[in-house]
C-alpha cells in the first residue's frame, strides 16, 4: 500500500462533499473566489485523516465525510487569509485568491468557506449518530479554529522577536498547524463512535504528526529546489520567519554568529540564504530539527497501539511516515 | 417602558458572557485587537433580541445568553472585516481595528471572534435543552453567516452596477443585514423551546425589522448630521453605495437625471451630495424608502400576534418601533 493509493481511495467522495458544500454560493464572483483553491487541488491529507480515523475505531466512512469536507474547508479558509496577511502571491501553482479577485473578495471568500465548514459538519446525518457526538465533533473543530488564529498571530509576532524559546515555538506550530490535524483525527474518531481512549490516542497521533509536518516544512524550505516546492529556497529566511532551526541556532550560536543571524533575518535578502544555512550546519540545527520531527512521528505511530488492526490503522502508520518522506 | 430600559435590563449579563468568551485569547495583541470593538460598546440590540425572543416563547433568559453573545460576536466580526474591505477608519467612535493593529491582525481578530461565536453557542448547557435544539440553533446562526458574506459580496458588486432592481436590492440587504437579526430572533425562539409556528413568526419579525433597519440606515445617511452619526452626511453617496433611494431614483428618473446621478455616484465627490438629495426629492425616493421601512415594521409587529402576552412581547414591539425612531 502506498500513500498515494490511500489518498486516492477517498478523494472522489471528499471532492463530491466539497462540491456540495460550495454549490449554492452566490453571487458568482464570491462562488469563483471561494472555490478557486479547492479546485486547484492539494493533497487532501487532512480530510483523508478524518475518514481513516473514523474507520480505525470501527466507524463507517460515510459518517465522517461531511466532517472531512469541513476540515478541508477550514484549511483552505486559513490559506486564503494567510496569503493576504503574508502577501504570498502564489498557492498550489495558481495565483492566490486576493491576487485574482482583490483583498475584499478574498477576505469574504475565506469567511464564506469558514461558514461553509460548519454548515457541512452540521449536515452530518444523525440517523445512526447521537446529536451529542456531532456537538462533540463541532466543539473539536471550533477549538482548532481558535488555535489556528492564535498560532498565526504568534507567527506574526515572532517575526519581530529574536529570543523565542523552543517551548514558545512548539506552542506556535501546535496552534498554527498541528491543532487542525489533531481536530481531523479527533473528529473522525468521535464520529466513528470511538471510545474516549481511542479518541485521545488519535488526537495525540494527529498532534504529533502535525508538529512533525510543520518542522519538516521548515526543513524543506532550505533543502528543496524552487521547482518542486513552488517557492524560492530559503523563503522562510528571507521573510524572517521563526523556524525550529532558527530557534535552535539562536540558542546555541556564539554571540557573534547570533548577531549575524539576527541581522540577516531582519534584512530580507535572498543573497544571504547560504550564509544562514552554514550557521545552521555549524550548530547542528538542521539535524536537531530533523530528529525532533522523527521522534514525533515515532511516538505518533506508537499511539496507534490501542487500536485494533485494520486497513485504516495501517494507512495511518503509512501517512505518519509520509510526513517525513515528502519532498514538497 | 423605554427601549433604553429594555437594553440595559440584559446588558450586564450579555457583557459578562462576552467577557467569558474572549478571556483566554492569546497572544495579548490578538486579545486586544479582538476585544477592541466589543469594549467600545454598541447598542447590543441583536443579543437583546435573542434573549427577548427566548422569553417571548416562554423560555428562560439563561438558556439564550450564550447564543446572545454568539450573535454579537458574529456582528462584531463582520464589522471588523467590513471596515477593512470598505477602508472605514472609524467605528463606534474609535479607530477601526485595522487602523490600530494593521490589516493582518484585524483579519485574525475577525476570524477569532467568528470562532469564539460558535464556541460560545456550543457551550449552551444541555441540561434542560435537547442537543437537537442546540444543533438547530447552530444551523440557524451558520446559515446567517453565509448570508452575511453573500450580502457583503453583493454590496461590493453593486458599486459598479447601475441597473440594480428593487428585488436585487432587497435580497442584498436581507443577506447583509436582516439575516443576522432574523438569526437572533430565531435562535432565541429555538432555545426557548418555542413551537415551529412561534419560531417562524419570530424569524419573520427579525427579517422584517432587519430590512427596515437597513433602509432606515440608508435614509439616516442623508438626513443626519455628522456629529450624531459619526460620519459625514451623504457618505453612502460619496462611496457610490447602492441604497433604496438610489435604486428608486434610477428606476424613475428622466434619462438626463439618471445619467447625472450615475456620474455623481462614480465620482466620489462630497460637494455633490446636495445635488443627489435634490434628485431623490424630485422623484419621491426618500418618501418611498421611508414608507417601505414603515410597512416592514408594521408587518413585523403583526407577526407577534401568535405569541401570548408578556413583557418580552411588549419589548419586541417597542424595539420594532425604535428601528424607525432612532436618529443615529
Amino acid at each position: 500500500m502506498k500513500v498515494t493509493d490511500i489518498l486516492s481511495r477517498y478523494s472522489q467522495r471528499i471532492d463530491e462533499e466539497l462540491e456540495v458544500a460550495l454549490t449554492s454560493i452566490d453571487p458568482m464572483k464570491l462562488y469563483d473566489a471561494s472555490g478557486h483553491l479547492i479546485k486547484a487541488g492539494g493533497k487532501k491529507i487532512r480530510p483523508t485523516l478524518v475518514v481513516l480515523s473514523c474507520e480505525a475505531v470501527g466507524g463507517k466512512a460515510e459518517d465522517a465525510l461531511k466532517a472531512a469536507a469541513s476540515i478541508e474547508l477550514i484549511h483552505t479558509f486559513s490559506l486564503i487569509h494567510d496569503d493576504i496577511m503574508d502577501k504570498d502571491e502564489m498557492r498550489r501553482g495558481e495565483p492566490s485568491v486576493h491576487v485574482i479577485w482583490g483583498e475584499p473578495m478574498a477576505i469574504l471568500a475565506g469567511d464564506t468557506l469558514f461558514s461553509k465548514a460548519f454548515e457541512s459538519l452540521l449536515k452530518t446525518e444523525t440517523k445512526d449518530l447521537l446529536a451529542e457526538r456531532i456537538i462533540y465533533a463541532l466543539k473539536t473543530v471550533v477549538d482548532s479554529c481558535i488555535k489556528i488564529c492564535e498560532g498565526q498571530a504568534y507567527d506574526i509576532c515572532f517575526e519581530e522577536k529574536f529570543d523565542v524559546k523552543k517551548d514558545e515555538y512548539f506552542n506556535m506550530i501546535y496552534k498554527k498547524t498541528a491543532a487542525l490535524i489533531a481536530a481531523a483525527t479527533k473528529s473522525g474518531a468521535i464520529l466513528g463512535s470511538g471510545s474516549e481512549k481511542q479518541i485521545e490516542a488519535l488526537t495525540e497521533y494527529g498532534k504529533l504528526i502535525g508538529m512533525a509536518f510543520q518542522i519538516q516544512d521548515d526543513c524543506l524550505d532550505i533543502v528543496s529546489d524552487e521547482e518542486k516546492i513552488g517557492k524560492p529556497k530559503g523563503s522562510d529566511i528571507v521573510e524572517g520567519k521563526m523556524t525550529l532551526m532558527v530557534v535552535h541556532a539562536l540558542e546555541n550560536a556564539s554571540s557573534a554568529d547570533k548577531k549575524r543571524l539576527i541581522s540577516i533575518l531582519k534584512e530580507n535578502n535572498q543573497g544571504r540564504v547560504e550564509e544562514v544555512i552554514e550557521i545552521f550546519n555549524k550548530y547542528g540545527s538542521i539535524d536537531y530539527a530533523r530528529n525532533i520531527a522523527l521522534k514525533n512521528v515515532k511516538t505518533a505511530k506508537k499511539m496507534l497501539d490501542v487500536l485494533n488492526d485494520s486497513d485504516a490503522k495501517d494507512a495511518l502508520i503509512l501517512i505518519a511516515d509520509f510526513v517525513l518522506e515528502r519532498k514538497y
Side-chain angles (χ1 to χ4, degrees), chain A:
Chain A
M1 194 160 52
K2 284 189 301 185
V3 168
T4 44
D5 296 333
I6 299 166
L7 296 175
S8 67
R9 193 194 301 163
Y10 302 101
S11 68
Q12 199 190 334
R13 280 188 287 172
I14 291 167
D15 286 343
E16 278 166 13
E17 285 299 339
L18 288 168
E19 210 175 305
V20 168
L22 301 183
T23 188
S24 64
I25 297 172
D26 189 37
M28 189 59 86
K29 219 182 234 183
L30 183 64
Y31 172 81
D32 289 339
S34 304
H36 176 65
L37 281 188
I38 300 270
K39 292 203 178 79
K43 292 188 283 295
K44 309 263 163 62
I45 291 181
R46 291 165 190 78
T48 303
L49 284 171
V50 179
V51 183
L52 287 174
S53 300
C54 176
E55 290 186 330
V57 299
K60 288 177 298 179
E62 280 70 37
D63 288 336
L65 280 175
K66 303 269 180 206
S70 175
I71 294 284
E72 184 68 8
L73 289 166
I74 287 167
H75 176 54
T76 313
F77 132 74
S78 78
L79 293 180
I80 294 176
H81 281 190
D82 282 6
D83 285 345
I84 301 173
M85 294 179 221
D86 296 342
K87 301 195 186 305
D88 282 332
E89 306 210 330
M90 292 293 288
R91 174 69 70 175
R92 292 182 176 164
E94 298 269 343
S96 307
V97 176
H98 67 277
V99 170
I100 303 179
W101 285 276
E103 281 195 23
M105 204 50 82
I107 293 174
L108 279 179
D111 294 344
T112 304
L113 294 185
F114 200 179
S115 312
K116 285 285 174 184
F118 292 113
E119 185 186 55
S120 178
L121 187 43
L122 279 163
K123 279 187 181 157
T124 301
E125 291 277 345
T126 47
K127 208 171 42 184
D128 307 319
L129 270 177
L130 287 175
E132 278 80 4
R133 284 262 152 184
I134 296 177
I135 289 187
Y136 189 6
L138 276 163
K139 284 184 177 173
T140 302
V141 173
V142 167
D143 184 59
S144 75
C145 292
I146 296 166
K147 291 198 167 71
I148 291 171
C149 297
E150 293 182 335
Q152 174 72 359
Y154 269 115
D155 201 16
I156 293 173
C157 295
F158 285 177
E159 284 173 31
E160 295 158 10
K161 182 171 152 72
F162 295 99
D163 57 350
V164 175
K165 298 278 160 271
K166 282 194 195 95
D167 280 350
E168 294 176 304
Y169 168 85
F170 289 130
N171 181 50
M172 184 267 281
I173 66 163
Y174 162 52
K175 290 186 164 181
K176 185 184 150 89
T177 305
L180 183 62
I181 296 176
T185 50
K186 184 175 180 178
S187 61
I190 292 168
L191 295 172
S193 298
S195 68
E196 204 46 48
K197 202 172 124 191
Q198 291 172 320
I199 294 170
E200 267 173 39
L202 278 161
T203 307
E204 197 60 22
Y205 161 89
K207 179 179 168 177
L208 288 163
I209 65 164
M211 308 269 287
F213 188 93
Q214 183 59 54
I215 296 167
Q216 174 73 357
D217 228 47
D218 290 359
C219 295
L220 282 175
D221 183 59
I222 53 165
V223 296
S224 290
D225 50 52
E226 183 163 357
E227 242 170 82
K228 277 189 192 152
I229 206 166
K231 50 184 185 177
K233 183 174 171 178
S235 67
D236 286 345
I237 295 168
V238 178
E239 289 173 24
K241 289 267 174 208
M242 202 45 59
T243 64
L244 187 51
M245 281 95 68
V246 172
V247 174
H248 181 269
L250 287 175
E251 276 186 0
N252 293 281
S254 68
S255 78
D257 281 342
K258 192 175 159 176
K259 225 171 130 184
R260 192 154 58 101
L261 179 53
I262 291 176
S263 85
I264 299 174
L265 288 171
K266 284 181 176 169
E267 209 178 62
N268 296 16
N269 181 349
Q270 185 68 42
R272 297 186 73 183
V273 166
E274 290 302 331
E275 205 179 327
V276 172
I277 296 175
E278 268 169 40
I279 297 176
F280 288 165
N281 280 325
K282 183 168 169 188
Y283 296 99
S285 305
I286 303 173
D287 285 344
Y288 170 78
R290 279 194 195 289
N291 274 329
I292 296 275
L294 194 65
K295 222 175 80 183
N296 277 356
V297 166
K298 222 167 158 179
T299 319
K301 290 192 287 186
K302 189 96 191 113
M303 289 294 148
L304 303 179
D305 287 352
V306 303
L307 304 175
N308 292 329
D309 287 341
S310 69
D311 277 359
K313 180 178 169 178
D314 293 341
L316 289 170
I317 293 170
L318 278 175
I319 287 181
D321 287 326
F322 174 71
V323 165
L324 301 186
E325 283 158 18
R326 71 197 176 95
K327 293 284 173 286
Y328 55 93

